[in-house]
Amino acid sequence: MKNDVFERALAAYLCFAAGDALGATTEFMLPREIRDKYGIHDKIIGGGWLHLKAGNVTDDTEMSLAIGDSLIENGGYTVQGAAASFARWMKKKPVDIGSTVRRGIVNYVTKRSVVSLYSTFSAGNGAAMRNFPVVLYCLKDWVWFEEITISQCHITHNNELSDMATLVLGEVVKALIETGDKRAALDIVSEFIKKDPTFSHSKYNGEASGYIKDTFRTVMHYFFDSDSLYETVVRTVNQGGDADTNGAIAGMLAGALYGMDGIPQKWLRALDQDVVRLITKQTEDLLNAPMNVILL
Ligand SMILES: [Mg+2]
């Protein structure tokens, strides 16, 4: 059982990075433009508006690794530790950084603020996209998941829609890692949508922007409507829009369900091998790290 958990956790994190690298090519494109240019885009070839090298990842994976690093290096969660790790990442001049993320990190660097101002404009997917290491860290003691998640989200995104979606995504991927059962995920999502039907993906309208509801609906539509990891991730990134983040989150869920065997070998070979090594080490470290939390 323990090995199953490790294997699905690792597959989720690696496929998160693969979805990021694959989706970066089609970010901000329309499905029609993607079809005209690539037919079906399913190879990690880089390019896109960021002119990425094939196999490189973007802010989604880099910020996840940053928060994972902070949990390990600080021997647990501290909000200052997480914010400082984001600040170190920003100093390295990342290939991409969202405007809300930048504003939040600048506020930390200049004013030591670890809680951004509440804003209805902070309903982007930039906090949800980096929360998977928190899931891995909290698997051993889930009572801390909500508080750590909200704390790390609010460093840059202080918005209840972002909070809700990030929490439910965490619950879903936890259930998938622990059970490998798609119905467990469906139960959680159905319950959530009952409470807030505006997140429902049942009549998916193809909107795949970085707005958290669009991301949530896109990912859930393709996750539940597909029968393989390949299909889930490829259909998501071929929807364009915020294709790297949506591809990463879809990849995380698909990896947790289908495991390592579900990930195409050519994706694992194409991914930046330093990223593969960091993710593998971090997955093991986060699952084993003792729970220790200082929120303020
Ligand atoms: Mg990105």
Side-chain angles (χ1 to χ4, degrees):
M1 183 60 191
K2 196 150 192 291
N3 287 338
D4 279 0
V5 166
F6 174 72
E7 198 252 359
R8 279 198 287 269
L10 179 60
Y13 210 161
L14 286 174
C15 198
F16 177 93
D20 181 8
L22 190 69
T25 309
T26 54
E27 186 178 10
F28 299 136
M29 292 174 79
L30 295 167
R32 174 174 41 79
E33 294 171 334
I34 298 168
R35 256 193 317 274
D36 289 348
K37 192 162 180 190
Y38 301 105
I40 294 171
H41 169 59
D42 69 351
K43 293 180 186 66
I44 295 179
I45 54 171
W49 75 284
L50 295 170
H51 305 289
L52 275 195
K53 240 170 73 185
N56 280 11
V57 293
T58 75
D59 48 349
D60 310 75
T61 306
E62 290 170 353
M63 289 199 87
S64 297
L65 286 166
I67 196 162
D69 277 347
S70 84
L71 286 163
I72 294 157
E73 283 166 13
N74 300 316
Y77 181 79
T78 74
V79 67
Q80 282 83 6
S85 193
F86 292 159
R88 279 197 299 277
W89 165 73
M90 189 172 80
K91 219 175 159 189
K92 285 189 276 183
K93 302 205 184 321
V95 63
D96 190 19
I97 179 166
S99 56
T100 309
V101 166
R102 180 187 294 280
R103 198 178 314 124
I105 299 173
V106 166
N107 275 336
Y108 169 73
V109 171
T110 55
K111 300 178 205 145
R112 285 293 176 260
S113 154
V114 290
V115 181
S116 57
L117 286 178
Y118 171 82
S119 167
T120 51
F121 297 108
S122 302
N125 56 22
M129 74 182 191
R130 61 180 188 235
N131 202 48
F132 185 57
V134 174
V135 174
L136 292 180
Y137 181 63
C138 292
L139 276 181
K140 68 186 81 66
D141 192 355
W142 198 246
V143 296
W144 290 105
F145 173 71
E146 184 167 340
E147 274 181 273
I148 297 178
T149 294
I150 300 297
S151 168
Q152 84 80 5
C153 284
H154 284 195
I155 296 170
T156 57
H157 290 64
N158 191 347
N159 178 280
E160 73 280 12
L161 299 177
S162 160
D163 293 350
M164 286 159 74
T166 307
L167 289 171
V168 76
L169 280 165
E171 297 285 347
V172 170
V173 73
K174 170 186 187 274
L176 289 169
I177 288 172
E178 288 180 341
T179 67
D181 181 358
K182 203 175 186 176
R183 279 169 310 181
L186 187 59
D187 287 346
I188 294 167
V189 173
S190 303
E191 199 54 41
F192 173 61
I193 288 171
K194 239 191 267 168
K195 280 186 228 144
D196 189 340
T198 65
F199 279 90
S200 173
H201 59 278
S202 71
K203 291 192 185 86
Y204 180 58
N205 61 6
E207 292 292 336
S209 79
Y211 176 49
I212 189 65
K213 285 189 187 178
D214 285 345
T215 288
F216 189 86
R217 289 188 285 243
T218 301
V219 166
M220 292 307 170
H221 171 71
Y222 286 122
F223 177 67
F224 288 115
D225 195 52
S226 302
D227 293 315
S228 70
L229 181 149
Y230 171 88
E231 207 189 314
T232 306
V233 179
V234 169
R235 289 173 75 195
T236 303
V237 301
N238 280 268
Q239 193 64 46
D242 200 356
D244 59 332
T245 301
N246 296 343
I249 297 175
M252 171 188 80
L253 298 183
L257 175 62
Y258 299 102
M260 288 301 294
D261 291 345
I263 309 178
Q265 280 298 320
K266 61 180 181 179
W267 290 358
L268 290 175
R269 278 197 299 270
L271 261 184
D272 180 338
Q273 292 303 296
D274 284 337
V275 170
V276 171
R277 270 190 293 276
L278 290 171
I279 284 177
T280 306
K281 174 90 171 66
Q282 200 175 87
T283 301
E284 211 175 314
D285 289 348
L286 287 170
L287 289 175
N288 293 325
M291 179 56 70
N292 188 13
V293 182
I294 304 165
L295 285 167
L296 287 171

